[in-house]
Amino acid sequence: MRAVRERDAYANLVLPGLLRERRVEGRDAAFATELAYGACRSLGVLDAVIGDCAGRGVDEIDGPLLDVLRLGVYQLLRTRVGAHAAVDTSVELVRAEFGSGKAGFVNAVLRRAGERTPEEWVERLAPRDPLGHLAFEYAHPKWIAQAFADALGARADELRDLLAADDTRPEVHLVARPGDITAAELALVTGGEVGPWSPYAVHLEGGDPGKLEPVRAGMAAVQDEGSQLVALSLTRAPLHGPDTGRWLDLCAGPGGKTALLGALADIDGYRVDAVEPAEHRAELVRKATDGLPVTVHVTDGRASGLTPGYDRILVDAPCTGLGALRRRPEARWRRTPADVRDLTLLQRELLTAAWDLLRPGGVVVYSTCSPHLPETVAVVGDLVRRTDAEQLDTRALLPGVTDLGGGPAAQLWPHRHGTDAMFAAALRKPV
């Protein structure tokens, strides 16, 4: 919690290393994970309750005390931990680090927080308007709830289900590397279940996937099933003319989709070029694709210098990440509407660059882990208006996957599919 607050660290990157370093395992590790991720995910609600109980804004409370208060209030309102235990452990933690005076303050705040049920706190503190109320209840900034409602369109009545799904701990999704292990074999080895949509997906309830032998051996990796479907849609898209085996991942870091594309390309003797501008992320791509026919280029995708003529190009563009908030617990409180403008400009430039690198008859798939309309249909619509791009029905590239929206693009949702809210649109260049 301190790393997230002080250094803007990512909880899902910091915590696993800390658990290994402190040798916290089993149920203790699961509980620590629930506390850390849950408190980060619920930050807006927790801070509103703390501020009300303390009679001052959280910006006036010492940071280290705020970390403890957030963990304590999270236990009181969002876990089955007994109120007495939640208060006592929090107070003892503060007393050990900062002395009795500050421990008394934490004790008073937590006891006030425990005097109301979660529902009573929502009723007391949530905005009166329906959207604001719903956003507060499920721990989302209002602007994100509005963006989701806009993307749901005529089915905006699903917003409560979507926010609820986005506010729960997600399952761990694994991808079985094609050619090395099947999803059925991976499920058997790991004790997981085969995923419903991707032929390579396995779902686990929890645990540290880094300890699983197939993951350690490079036969499997952690990857949301929605991301797998995006990569698969590129390989299934119908081309005009033969596939010459020149594939490109224009936004490759950290390498999950690149690795799946590389494994599928390897089966047919094809090759994948992967572009990533940051060296440290390019190294992650190299590690993820070790042993596969993938060449990593450390360059800007908008001016890559690569030779045009690719059959298939994936543009998994940098985005707000609003569709993956379940897996990045603190992200919802860091993003602002102001982030969108610069990102949409970058997204349009990357898609245009991909279009220029595509051969006639080739296909580019544009994807984001955000359902936000300015980042999805607006970016695709801009290219279609400026070029002769032919929009394919992306839903047809995901056979068996239901309820993907009105088309021609495909939109996945946590509450409908159990995946991140991935968007994908396939565009073919006329011959």
Side-chain angles (χ1 to χ4, degrees):
M1 293 296 289
R2 194 168 296 175
V4 169
R5 177 180 52 79
E6 290 183 346
R7 307 198 313 266
D8 281 344
Y10 295 100
N12 64 332
L13 299 182
V14 172
L15 185 65
L18 283 173
L19 294 176
R20 284 192 289 270
E21 178 188 315
R22 309 294 169 89
R23 297 182 180 177
V24 181
E25 298 180 337
R27 292 179 64 186
D28 285 342
F31 183 52
T33 301
E34 170 61 20
L35 284 185
Y37 290 2
C40 287
R41 198 165 48 234
S42 310
L43 215 58
V45 174
L46 301 180
D47 284 358
V49 172
I50 291 166
D52 190 81
C53 294
R56 67 181 88 160
V58 292
D59 55 342
E60 297 178 40
I61 298 174
D62 290 345
L65 295 185
L66 185 57
D67 296 333
V68 177
L69 285 169
R70 286 168 169 169
L71 288 168
V73 174
Y74 180 77
Q75 290 176 78
L76 287 169
L77 301 185
R78 292 200 157 207
T79 74
R80 288 177 291 182
V81 173
H84 182 75
V87 174
D88 280 3
T89 52
S90 301
V91 170
E92 286 306 312
L93 182 57
V94 171
R95 181 177 286 120
E97 278 210 57
F98 306 108
S100 297
K102 292 184 177 180
F105 168 71
V106 168
N107 181 59
V109 171
L110 292 179
R111 290 197 181 281
R112 287 187 200 123
E115 289 172 357
R116 289 183 170 88
T117 66
E119 294 76 20
E120 288 169 341
W121 277 117
V122 169
E123 194 55 39
R124 176 178 172 85
L125 299 176
R128 296 296 96 186
D129 66 289
L131 182 71
H133 195 280
L134 204 57
F136 184 88
E137 183 179 351
Y138 291 104
H140 283 72
K142 183 177 176 179
W143 77 272
I144 292 179
Q146 182 65 65
F148 287 169
D150 293 344
L152 286 167
R155 294 175 64 174
D157 59 338
E158 296 180 12
L159 182 60
R160 177 180 289 276
D161 291 340
L162 169 55
L163 294 175
D166 215 36
D167 195 31
T168 55
R169 178 175 59 88
E171 291 183 313
V172 175
H173 291 186
L174 300 179
V175 58
R177 178 174 280 188
D180 284 349
I181 191 172
T182 67
E185 291 167 340
L186 182 60
L188 195 62
V189 172
T190 60
E193 292 189 3
V194 174
W197 313 117
S198 163
Y200 307 108
V202 169
H203 295 190
L204 303 175
E205 283 194 12
D208 183 356
K211 292 184 176 180
L212 298 172
E213 184 54 36
V215 175
R216 292 160 65 98
M219 300 170 72
V222 177
Q223 186 176 46
D224 183 80
E225 190 168 7
S227 293
Q228 297 175 40
L229 292 172
V230 166
L232 289 169
S233 72
L234 179 69
T235 69
R236 295 165 173 167
L239 308 176
H240 285 315
D243 193 332
T244 67
R246 279 195 77 201
W247 297 1
L248 171 63
D249 186 348
L250 197 63
C251 311
K257 295 181 185 69
T258 322
L260 181 52
L261 289 174
L264 292 168
D266 195 29
I267 293 170
D268 290 320
Y270 297 163
R271 294 201 58 82
V272 179
D273 283 316
V275 169
E276 169 53 51
E279 173 56 43
H280 70 283
R281 284 172 63 86
E283 183 58 28
L284 294 176
V285 180
R286 293 186 194 103
K287 289 179 179 177
T289 59
D290 185 41
L292 296 173
V294 175
T295 303
V296 180
H297 304 265
V298 185
T299 185
D300 190 324
R302 293 169 292 182
S304 64
L306 295 172
T307 304
Y310 287 95
D311 300 284
R312 303 180 189 273
I313 302 178
L314 176 63
V315 182
D316 183 41
C319 67
T320 55
L322 300 189
L325 296 178
R326 305 176 307 154
R327 303 191 185 281
R328 298 165 190 163
E330 68 292 308
R332 68 190 65 186
W333 307 110
R334 288 186 180 165
R335 283 296 188 193
T336 71
D339 297 330
V340 176
R341 186 179 63 183
D342 289 344
L343 282 167
T344 54
L345 176 61
L346 174 61
Q347 290 157 356
R348 291 175 189 221
E349 290 174 344
L350 286 165
L351 184 53
T352 299
W355 191 251
D356 292 340
L357 290 168
L358 194 67
R359 72 161 176 83
V363 170
V364 59
V365 166
Y366 172 81
S367 72
T368 59
C369 57
S370 169
H372 197 19
L373 295 177
E375 302 182 78
T376 57
V377 294
V379 173
V380 173
D382 174 69
L383 183 82
V384 171
R385 279 192 301 274
R386 292 187 292 107
T387 69
D388 51 0
E390 175 192 357
Q391 283 204 68
L392 303 180
D393 188 343
T394 312
R395 299 169 301 175
L397 309 180
L398 303 176
V401 185
T402 57
D403 226 358
L404 289 167
Q411 179 64 62
L412 295 158
W413 292 106
H415 67 296
R416 290 186 199 166
H417 307 101
T419 67
D420 291 344
M422 298 294 301
F423 169 89
L427 303 159
R428 185 165 58 195
K429 182 179 281 191
V431 177

